[in-house]
Amino acid sequence: MSYISINNLKKQYHIGSVEINALNGINLNINKGELVIVVGQSGAGKTTLLNLIGGMDKSNSGELIIDGNDITKYKTKMLTRYRRHDIGFVFQFYNLIPNITTLENVEMAKEVAIDPFNPKKILQLVGLEDRLDNFPSQLSGGQQQRVAIARALVKNPKLMLCDEPTGALDFETGKNILKILQAMSKQLKMTVIIITHNHAITEIGDHVVEMKDGMISKEYYNQHPKTIDEVEW
Amino acid sequence: MYKIIFKLLISKIANSKAQFISLLLICAIGVAMYIGILDVSKMMQANAQTYFNKQKASDIEVLTPFEITQSKIDELVKKDNSIDYEKYNILDVKATYQEQEYIAKIQTNEKFNQPYLVKGKKITKDNECYVDTSNDELLNKNISIDLNGTKKNCKVVGLVDSPQYLSLKYRGYSSISSSKINLIIFTKNSFISDYFPKQYWPYPSKYNALSIYYPNKDNNNTFSKEYQDFTKDKIKQVSSIFNEKYLTSRDNNQGVDAFHTDSERIKEMAAVFPIIFFIVTILVSANAMTRNVQDDRMLMGSITSMGFTNKMVIAIYLIYSFLTTAIGCIIGFFVGFHLIPPTIIKSYSVLYLIPNIKIYYNFEVAIQAISIMIFLIILTTLVIAIKETRDSPAQLIRPKAPVSGKKILLEKFNFIWKRLKFLNKVNLRNIFRYKKRLFMSILAIMGCSGLLMTGLGIMTSVKPIISNQYTKIDQYMGIAYTNDMNNKQLTTNLNKFNKVSGIENSEASYNLNAQIKINNKNEDITIISPQNATNFNEMITMNEKFNDNSITITRKVAEKLNLKKGSKIKITYNDKDYQLTITNITDNYVGNYIYVNNESFRDIFNINNFNCIYFKTVTKNNSDVLKVLEKQSFIKVIDDNSFLQDIISKSLNSIENLVYIMIAFAGILVIVVTFSLTNINIIERTRELATLKVLGFYNREVSNYVLKENIIITIIGLIFGLVFGTYLHRYIMNSIEANDIYFITEQPIYNYIIAFVITLVFTIMVNILMERSIRKIDMVESLKSIE
């Protein structure tokens, strides 16, 4: 059985009296340890899907089975616990807490984890061992995103969810970030889902999901995913 | 374009309901407090003045033991032909109803100082009368009035108040008995004119009283300086015709004067309160508006980028803050006038008989309050809005960079810092992150808790006066004043005195009224020299037992003059100065006294007689004893301590009511202020809190994260507030200080505890309320990327 199994998942938003179908019946299976790239234009429903998988939002119908449990049946508290123990999030705009240092931002996530990694070691892993005592505002965008990744990783999550992690970064920095994510996925055998609108990135994924208008338009597996250095865009 | 501004405004209000309402409420409270407190004295005086106008209160009363002859009146008219006057009778009599005897005044004025009919009907016949409202048991009863031996029956048809007797305290002593007047009878002149006591009234005319009224004066307001100057002048003029000691101007009427002092005292006591309220209000609203404007940077950016000018954007905020403030002010206006003064005035109505309390809108005070409030809030908004719109549209549409993190001072003390739990460190750093808000919050909480502390303090200063003075210190029930008695007379009189059934104990003394100078002002002080020092301890409990060498002074004077044991005090008696060396200081709350042992007293003042008898009664209810004592010919006047106790406790009760209002308002302010500050704190950090939620913090953990900060800030504010309250209370007690009442200015520890607990409980209550909005924070919405 797949690690994630999504069956006919639907989500509607209401903006005023207009109903928008963000997800129009998604069926998707993801295996443990896969690096999944979800690609599509903005408005395709990528973020909505990611938010649902991450337990940040609730669907209207369908099943979302993670590790054998249908999280669509979860109440708020269970969802929180699910996020707390299983999920690591990385956002486009980092969402670091501005008033605490790099190390403290990572420690913050460690506070709620059951089996966390050592924050300093994780920061070393993302190459920030020299910036432990800096505040977010003192870091570059790429460095901030690395802190965000470290923060997601430190919890030792089963599932890493990354929403346009390179969206706000320049080419080189973005590449660096993806390199880290790919390495993590391989080294820690972690399931990683990355959302992007950049088709070039799909080449590094084990599993590629293309979305359009709230549906999956194409889905395939790369037998030999490229390393990030091999990809150009 | 106006349509767009209007639309933006509406959506702005709809999006920030909580802020809009709390801002509105704060303005309302501030204005209500300002109006209410500052207007109480004016409203009290306005009500009194209306009453005076309606009942045609005279300007000057002439009450003589002689005839008021026509020639004297002619003289008066010659000096000022505009005057209006009325001659009437006023007599001290005794009246009885069934077995009950009343010491009464009967008077016949109709044109001026008209009695105000509270209950019953108008007099139509000669043998009908009114009595004052304190004797309502007499309504519709036939009372018997003893007019110089002739008993005449009279039916009480109505209960009335009279502007001449505003206060129950000051109805004076009767000239035919030694007691205080306890009944005022109003009747027609014809009822008594035939029975005027002939033996001491050898005059042909039947009038011994005269009301004078000046219709052409500029200012008829009894409580104005102008009026007082006016009557002073007129008294001077009239005193060339009638002896000055028979003249009383309206403002010098004892009841009116006491009323005036009491009403002014409220203002003195409470004036600081609205000011602090105002400061807190402005702090909080400035805080809220800053937040409000910063919150809308994006919107402002898009409006300005669409080509609207900054001025229009600023206009939206000005209208917004004007709207909240204006609505708040209107609510405050009505609450201020309708709630606060009537409550306080009502509590004073046990002391001062003014019928028909009406609410007068004092627009002067209202305009003051409202214009200050609007001006300050608009100004704050303007400054903030201008500052924020100075950024270019491009800068504006990006969120303002959050205040960047900084190490706090405490981190330098590594030995403390490293011991703190991780989340506590974060909390501490957050607290000091927004210095401006921290400062404002602390100041606001400090203001509220300080007010609470002050209110409680006034209560504890005022409350124990009665029990301390009349149960702990004064053991005697009354003092019977006599003419000077030498030792022989004293023995006879004491014998008679002690035979009265119900008297438990008595002790003779010589009491004389002297003056001392406090801050260059003459103050009255009573010198008491008991016949037997040891026995006198049974009448008054002193800190150190009174003995044959004691010269004991009461604490108030001692503190005012900075006297210690062994200090000398200068006393003026009959225009001569005397010096006394203080041996003891004793607690006392009402009145200023020096107790001088009889030997020193004789030496210093050269008085060998006695002029009063302190007495205790067997039972507390001493009215029967007093009745018998009144009939003793050697007694001139009896000071009944329980009567005094009653009056003072009523007056203190009124202060208590005022304090309750203050405490209640301070409490509301605490709630609104913490609500507003917490609300801002949460809105401001939605993104941060949503991030925590994403990380998997439970709702409770997220609330703790923010709310702990609030509680820490509240506690810091509270600590300052308690100190502030202590001083504010002292300051207020000093400013309302009556020269003959000693207030305890130390606050008991439980006041601190109560103020602390109340503020904290309110904060926690608000926090619990705020947990809901934290729970409602939507992760997806709050973290939406800015595209």
Side-chain angles (χ1 to χ4, degrees):
Chain A
M1 175 135 175
S2 321
Y3 180 58
I4 300 173
S5 167
I6 301 171
N7 301 314
N8 200 24
L9 193 66
K10 288 187 181 169
K11 173 74 182 175
Q12 282 115 34
Y13 288 114
H14 296 271
I15 296 175
S17 55
V18 186
E19 196 183 274
I20 293 168
N21 289 320
L23 292 184
N24 237 336
I26 299 281
N27 293 297
L28 181 66
N29 289 308
I30 293 171
N31 292 318
K32 210 170 169 92
E34 272 181 3
L35 174 62
V36 184
I37 306 288
V38 181
V39 70
Q41 288 172 344
S42 66
K46 312 181 296 284
T47 299
T48 307
L49 179 63
L50 199 75
N51 287 344
L52 288 176
I53 296 175
M56 275 169 59
D57 204 354
K58 287 184 174 172
S59 60
N60 295 97
S61 67
E63 282 181 318
L64 212 174
I65 298 164
I66 314 260
D67 213 3
N69 301 310
D70 186 354
I71 68 161
T72 59
K73 306 243 171 356
Y74 281 3
K75 296 252 159 42
T76 311
K77 187 155 188 186
M78 283 294 283
L79 272 180
T80 309
R81 190 192 296 182
Y82 163 69
R83 286 199 306 273
R84 190 181 181 108
H85 296 157
D86 295 353
I87 303 294
F89 256 108
V90 177
F91 299 97
Q92 181 179 5
F93 288 103
Y94 338 124
N95 285 328
L96 297 178
I97 296 175
N99 196 38
I100 56 182
T101 60
T102 301
L103 180 61
E104 285 163 344
N105 260 291
V106 178
E107 283 177 333
M108 196 83 175
K110 185 200 131 190
E111 281 290 305
V112 296
I114 307 177
D115 181 23
F117 293 116
N118 180 327
K120 280 188 190 164
K121 286 228 172 90
I122 290 288
L123 280 165
Q124 205 173 2
L125 216 61
V126 297
L128 284 176
E129 62 273 26
D130 297 335
R131 314 304 297 260
L132 297 185
D133 286 335
N134 287 106
F135 287 96
S137 58
Q138 297 165 325
L139 301 176
S140 72
Q143 285 170 328
Q144 287 191 53
Q145 191 61 298
R146 280 190 274 161
V147 178
I149 293 171
R151 181 176 67 181
L153 275 176
V154 77
K155 293 204 293 183
N156 192 5
K158 293 181 182 143
L159 188 53
M160 276 278 274
L161 303 174
C162 313
D163 191 353
E164 300 271 11
T166 60
L169 302 174
D170 61 67
F171 174 70
E172 272 305 320
T173 324
K175 246 181 157 175
N176 250 325
I177 293 297
L178 290 171
K179 202 185 229 167
I180 293 169
L181 287 173
Q182 196 182 25
M184 291 303 131
S185 145
K186 293 287 159 285
Q187 279 171 28
L188 302 171
K189 300 263 181 305
M190 208 177 267
T191 314
V192 178
I193 304 177
I194 298 171
I195 282 185
T196 180
H197 57 270
N198 185 349
H199 256 279
I201 296 174
T202 55
E203 293 178 24
I204 68 164
D206 302 313
H207 185 173
V208 178
V209 178
E210 286 184 19
M211 288 184 73
K212 204 177 174 188
D213 299 333
M215 308 263 270
I216 293 176
S217 53
K218 197 173 165 192
E219 188 187 355
Y220 58 90
Y221 291 85
N222 286 330
Q223 291 312 314
H224 302 286
K226 289 184 179 165
T227 64
I228 197 75
D229 292 328
E230 298 167 312
V231 180
E232 284 296 332
W233 70 85
Chain B
M1 185 189 86
Y2 292 108
K3 226 175 171 177
I4 291 174
I5 288 185
F6 181 73
K7 267 190 186 161
L8 286 170
L9 193 64
I10 294 290
S11 75
K12 170 118 215 60
I13 293 170
N15 286 334
S16 58
K17 270 179 242 130
Q19 267 185 66
F20 189 82
I21 291 170
S22 59
L23 197 57
L24 186 152
L25 274 183
I26 290 172
C27 289
I29 295 172
V31 169
M33 201 67 193
Y34 187 97
I35 288 178
I37 297 289
L38 292 187
D39 187 51
V40 171
S41 43
K42 287 228 172 92
M43 206 189 280
M44 276 174 88
Q45 291 170 4
N47 271 292
Q49 187 58 39
T50 312
Y51 175 49
F52 292 156
N53 291 344
K54 220 168 154 194
Q55 306 315 120
K56 295 218 152 111
S58 63
D59 292 317
I60 294 174
E61 281 294 299
V62 189
L63 304 178
T64 70
F66 316 110
E67 179 189 17
I68 304 243
T69 57
Q70 192 55 44
S71 64
K72 292 213 165 177
I73 293 174
D74 290 344
E75 242 181 283
L76 197 64
V77 176
K78 213 189 279 168
K79 281 196 191 265
D80 184 345
N81 63 8
S82 72
I83 65 159
D84 206 349
Y85 64 89
E86 179 193 27
K87 297 182 281 180
Y88 66 98
N89 291 319
I90 184 158
L91 284 178
D92 290 340
V93 294
K94 286 189 177 173
T96 45
Y97 169 66
Q98 293 179 336
E99 289 301 288
Q100 182 74 38
E101 193 183 80
Y102 295 88
I103 311 299
K105 231 180 213 328
I106 185 165
Q107 61 185 81
T108 64
N109 53 311
E110 286 178 66
K111 186 172 174 188
F112 294 111
N113 302 313
Q114 295 164 359
Y116 178 89
L117 189 58
V118 175
K119 207 175 165 190
K121 58 180 186 68
K122 284 203 159 166
I123 294 177
T124 47
K125 297 186 200 119
D126 270 0
N127 61 345
E128 288 178 342
C129 66
Y130 302 130
V131 299
D132 68 276
T133 46
S134 69
N135 292 288
D136 56 348
E137 74 277 4
L138 295 179
L139 184 61
N140 295 323
K141 303 287 179 343
N142 275 305
I143 55 173
S144 165
I145 299 167
D146 186 346
L147 291 161
N148 187 33
T150 312
K151 298 223 162 140
K152 216 179 161 191
N153 279 337
C154 183
K155 192 182 179 205
V156 178
V157 294
L159 298 175
V160 295
D161 285 337
S162 160
Q164 260 173 307
Y165 306 99
L166 203 59
S167 165
L168 286 174
K169 198 169 159 185
Y170 303 109
R171 292 187 293 197
Y173 288 97
S174 170
S175 59
I176 57 166
S177 157
S178 52
S179 286
K180 284 193 164 132
I181 303 277
N182 56 20
L183 174 68
I184 315 276
I185 305 166
F186 298 88
T187 177
K188 291 202 161 188
N189 205 320
S190 51
F191 179 81
I192 54 171
S193 56
D194 293 345
Y195 298 91
F196 233 62
K198 288 187 185 72
Q199 67 266 56
Y200 57 90
W201 196 259
Y203 312 108
S205 158
K206 305 287 163 54
Y207 301 106
N208 66 339
L210 178 72
S211 301
I212 305 171
Y213 183 76
Y214 298 92
N216 293 337
K217 60 185 166 299
D218 299 333
N219 191 332
N220 192 30
N221 179 3
T222 318
F223 308 101
S224 66
K225 178 93 185 30
E226 229 173 290
Y227 180 81
Q228 286 159 5
D229 290 344
F230 173 80
T231 55
K232 217 174 270 166
D233 269 11
K234 287 296 170 188
I235 289 268
K236 227 177 258 164
Q237 201 181 73
V238 177
S239 66
S240 64
I241 303 163
F242 300 103
N243 189 320
E244 195 171 343
K245 73 177 172 195
Y246 302 129
L247 306 178
T248 322
S249 64
R250 191 202 301 160
D251 52 301
N252 277 334
N253 173 304
Q254 277 192 306
V256 176
D257 190 43
F259 175 83
H260 191 189
T261 314
D262 267 2
S263 61
E264 293 290 332
R265 183 172 298 167
I266 296 174
K267 200 156 78 180
E268 285 167 20
M269 174 161 71
V272 205
F273 276 62
I275 292 166
I276 292 171
F277 260 82
F278 251 58
I279 294 171
V280 172
T281 310
I282 284 153
L283 283 176
V284 174
S285 59
N287 222 341
M289 277 323 293
T290 312
R291 179 63 236 141
N292 228 328
V293 176
Q294 283 179 358
D295 225 20
D296 286 349
R297 290 169 57 86
M298 286 253 285
L299 187 69
M300 295 200 308
S302 25
I303 300 171
T304 42
S305 65
M306 283 185 319
F308 285 90
T309 59
N310 281 348
K311 273 186 200 145
M312 276 177 236
V313 178
I314 292 169
I316 294 179
Y317 292 104
L318 289 182
I319 297 170
Y320 177 91
S321 61
F322 178 78
L323 267 182
T324 51
T325 319
I327 299 173
C329 285
I330 291 169
I331 297 172
F333 177 90
F334 287 104
V335 173
F337 281 118
H338 285 260
L339 189 74
I340 301 172
T343 317
I344 295 169
I345 292 174
K346 216 172 269 166
S347 67
Y348 271 93
S349 67
V350 290
L351 283 177
Y352 300 106
L353 307 169
I354 299 173
N356 281 339
I357 294 302
K358 262 198 222 138
I359 288 162
Y360 294 97
Y361 295 132
N362 179 343
F363 287 101
E364 195 190 319
V365 171
I367 287 169
Q368 252 173 37
I370 291 172
S371 54
I372 295 175
M373 184 67 88
I374 291 184
F375 173 75
L376 287 172
I377 290 184
I378 294 281
L379 189 72
T380 322
T381 313
L382 192 66
V383 170
I384 292 162
I386 289 177
K387 202 175 128 225
E388 295 292 328
T389 45
R390 209 173 281 156
D391 293 341
S392 69
Q395 280 171 305
L396 280 174
I397 52 174
R398 251 172 272 136
K400 190 171 184 171
V403 181
S404 54
K406 241 193 246 146
K407 302 246 168 175
I408 59 172
L409 192 65
L410 192 66
E411 289 177 59
K412 297 218 171 107
F413 303 95
N414 203 25
F415 57 100
I416 304 176
W417 186 250
K418 71 180 180 207
R419 262 161 235 244
L420 291 172
K421 273 212 205 128
F422 172 72
L423 282 178
N424 290 347
K425 287 183 193 174
V426 178
N427 279 147
L428 279 175
R429 209 181 276 145
N430 281 338
I431 288 172
F432 293 102
R433 176 170 165 201
Y434 301 100
K435 294 235 168 48
K436 203 166 79 189
R437 201 185 63 210
L438 174 74
F439 177 72
M440 285 181 178
S441 309
I442 287 180
L443 221 57
I445 301 281
M446 174 179 132
C448 303
S449 54
L451 288 184
L452 209 54
M453 195 66 210
T454 309
L456 291 168
I458 295 176
M459 195 85 95
T460 43
S461 297
V462 164
K463 246 195 164 156
I465 289 177
I466 293 297
S467 64
N468 283 348
Q469 184 71 42
Y470 296 102
T471 57
K472 287 195 190 138
I473 295 174
D474 290 2
Q475 306 299 326
Y476 64 94
M477 285 304 288
I479 308 171
Y481 287 92
T482 65
N483 289 320
D484 281 15
M485 304 175 280
N486 59 31
N487 281 341
K488 212 178 121 201
Q489 288 165 318
L490 176 65
T491 319
T492 349
N493 288 341
L494 268 181
N495 261 335
K496 279 193 224 163
F497 197 93
N498 288 334
K499 272 193 196 126
V500 173
S501 83
I503 295 285
E504 185 194 324
N505 198 356
S506 61
E507 178 59 36
S509 161
Y510 199 99
N511 289 10
L512 62 83
N513 293 318
Q515 273 87 42
I516 45 171
K517 272 216 162 83
I518 296 178
N519 297 334
N520 272 332
K521 262 178 84 185
N522 277 329
E523 298 294 344
D524 288 334
I525 189 162
T526 309
I527 299 174
I528 297 169
S529 178
Q531 185 190 27
N532 183 317
T534 322
N535 292 351
F536 194 67
N537 287 311
E538 280 182 41
M539 297 297 172
I540 290 168
T541 312
M542 300 189 198
N543 295 28
E544 287 163 85
K545 281 226 153 133
F546 192 64
N547 63 41
D548 287 332
N549 300 314
S550 304
I551 295 181
T552 303
I553 194 160
T554 48
R555 187 163 309 280
K556 176 96 191 180
V557 188
E559 282 185 6
K560 280 272 134 182
L561 296 178
N562 207 8
L563 299 174
K564 299 195 176 60
K565 285 186 185 181
S567 307
K568 288 191 163 61
I569 178 173
K570 200 176 88 182
I571 287 179
T572 314
Y573 169 62
N574 266 356
D575 297 330
K576 261 200 248 162
D577 289 346
Y578 299 88
Q579 234 179 30
L580 292 156
T581 309
I582 305 300
T583 66
N584 292 316
I585 293 164
T586 192
D587 285 343
N588 192 70
Y589 298 89
V590 181
N592 297 323
Y593 303 102
I594 303 181
Y595 304 98
V596 183
N597 66 78
N598 206 247
E599 203 188 317
S600 309
F601 182 74
R602 284 163 196 257
D603 286 352
I604 297 166
F605 294 97
N606 202 18
I607 294 172
N608 295 311
N609 294 331
F610 295 95
N611 68 353
C612 63
I613 300 167
Y614 283 73
F615 63 92
K616 276 163 111 172
T617 51
V618 181
T619 56
K620 275 222 157 148
N621 188 350
N622 57 11
S623 57
D624 289 340
V625 182
L626 289 179
K627 230 175 262 168
V628 180
L629 287 179
E630 278 156 13
K631 293 199 172 116
Q632 300 287 338
S633 55
F634 68 91
I635 297 175
K636 283 197 308 191
V637 174
I638 297 172
D639 258 353
D640 174 5
N641 225 10
S642 63
F643 178 76
L644 220 75
Q645 177 178 353
D646 189 47
I647 289 289
I648 292 175
S649 79
K650 274 176 182 161
S651 146
L652 295 182
N653 269 338
S654 319
I655 293 183
E656 257 177 52
N657 274 334
L658 176 65
V659 172
Y660 282 131
I661 292 183
M662 292 183 190
I663 292 177
F665 270 73
I668 298 172
L669 194 65
V670 172
I671 294 180
V672 181
V673 165
T674 36
F675 175 81
S676 171
L677 295 176
T678 314
N679 193 34
I680 292 168
N681 195 3
I682 290 173
I683 294 173
E684 209 160 46
R685 289 163 63 188
T686 311
R687 215 176 164 85
E688 183 178 332
L689 300 180
T691 309
L692 290 181
K693 282 187 163 195
V694 173
L695 282 177
F697 278 63
Y698 291 120
N699 279 327
R700 175 143 297 267
E701 290 169 331
V702 180
S703 348
N704 279 349
Y705 174 76
V706 189
L707 302 182
K708 209 196 252 168
E709 287 173 31
N710 280 340
I711 290 177
I712 294 172
I713 292 176
T714 308
I715 289 175
I716 298 174
L718 248 170
I719 290 167
F720 283 112
L722 297 187
V723 175
F724 169 61
T726 310
Y727 284 98
L728 182 61
H729 165 250
R730 249 178 240 171
Y731 167 78
I732 289 176
M733 291 325 284
N734 280 333
S735 67
I736 62 168
E737 166 168 75
N739 277 318
D740 54 354
I741 295 189
Y742 180 78
F743 294 113
I744 306 163
T745 46
E746 254 103 90
Q747 299 227 32
I749 199 87
Y750 59 78
N751 274 0
Y752 290 92
I753 297 171
I754 294 172
F756 194 88
V757 169
I758 290 183
T759 313
L760 210 58
V761 164
F762 282 157
T763 315
I764 291 170
M765 266 168 48
V766 170
N767 281 354
I768 290 171
L769 200 75
M770 294 318 286
E771 271 198 53
R772 266 187 53 224
S773 38
I774 291 177
R775 219 174 301 140
K776 276 200 294 196
I777 291 177
D778 184 336
M779 287 169 277
V780 177
E781 278 300 310
S782 322
L783 294 179
K784 247 188 190 156
S785 352
I786 303 106
E787 281 166 272

